[in-house]
Amino acid sequence: GGTPGQLLEMMRSEDYWPAKYRALGAQEFTLREFSKDGDDLAVISRRVSPADLPNFAKKVVGDKTIVVQSERWREDGAGYACDFTVTLEKVPGGMTGWMKIDPVGASESDWILEFKIKVGIPLIGGKLEGIMKRETEANLKKEFVFNSSWLASH
């Protein structure tokens, strides 16, 4: 649950980011940029997680995935919108997309997400894209659970 305003307020708390990514399994987490300007919010983070990858992919990526994620949130109608990029160190390409939080009724929100993944590695790029897509979908479910408990306890 939570209104768009409550969800934005959650993200405007600097403590939220490391707590969320630790809950998602990150071993290391750094905020490279965290800036608020009115309802605008810019977050650039770097996280290191164990690589949950098949052996062919570990040969390219290594035993850990190092992810840099950039999110820029802004007011959009009655809700908020965000453009984001995700890059993996040692992997050409990455993920780009947008998110939108729209109000539903008095106390709920729709969190809409659209993304494209492109990995520029011959032969295994497509397989890596599929793995990244599955991992992103699994993380979104974990993130929803984390966000719900954060809102309930703050």
Side-chain angles (χ1 to χ4, degrees):
T3 64
Q6 287 170 320
L7 291 167
L8 188 76
E9 203 48 46
M10 168 183 79
M11 290 188 285
R12 288 168 64 88
S13 163
E14 212 167 317
D15 297 341
Y16 162 79
W17 298 91
K20 174 174 81 170
Y21 284 113
R22 290 209 181 93
L24 294 181
Q27 294 167 326
E28 294 171 41
F29 178 84
T30 319
L31 271 177
R32 287 190 167 169
E33 182 189 333
F34 185 80
S35 60
K36 300 182 271 196
D37 178 16
D39 276 338
D40 291 358
L41 172 68
V43 182
I44 300 176
S45 63
R46 179 183 183 270
R47 61 187 187 268
V48 181
S49 304
D52 184 15
L53 297 168
N55 285 335
F56 77 85
K58 278 191 183 169
K59 286 190 179 105
V60 177
V61 178
D63 287 337
K64 292 181 171 24
T65 53
I66 301 168
V67 175
V68 174
Q69 184 159 336
S70 164
E71 299 183 24
R72 298 200 175 275
W73 288 92
R74 63 188 178 278
E75 202 170 352
D76 186 79
Y80 300 95
C82 166
D83 295 306
F84 72 92
T85 60
V86 177
T87 56
L88 278 81
E89 282 184 17
K90 298 187 196 156
V91 179
M95 188 188 316
T96 55
W98 55 267
M99 293 183 265
K100 199 161 168 14
I101 300 173
D102 284 328
V104 179
S107 62
E108 296 285 312
S109 298
D110 273 342
W111 193 309
I112 305 148
L113 175 89
E114 190 170 288
F115 61 89
K116 289 189 185 87
I117 300 173
K118 184 74 193 122
V119 177
I121 301 175
L123 305 177
I124 66 164
K127 283 184 181 164
L128 266 177
E129 289 166 9
I131 292 164
M132 284 172 73
K133 182 175 187 285
R134 281 196 303 280
E135 195 167 278
T136 299
E137 286 165 355
N139 277 344
L140 288 170
K141 290 189 179 88
K142 291 181 202 162
E143 215 170 297
F144 177 80
V145 171
F146 177 84
N147 289 348
S148 300
S149 68
W150 177 277
L151 287 169
S153 64
H154 286 75

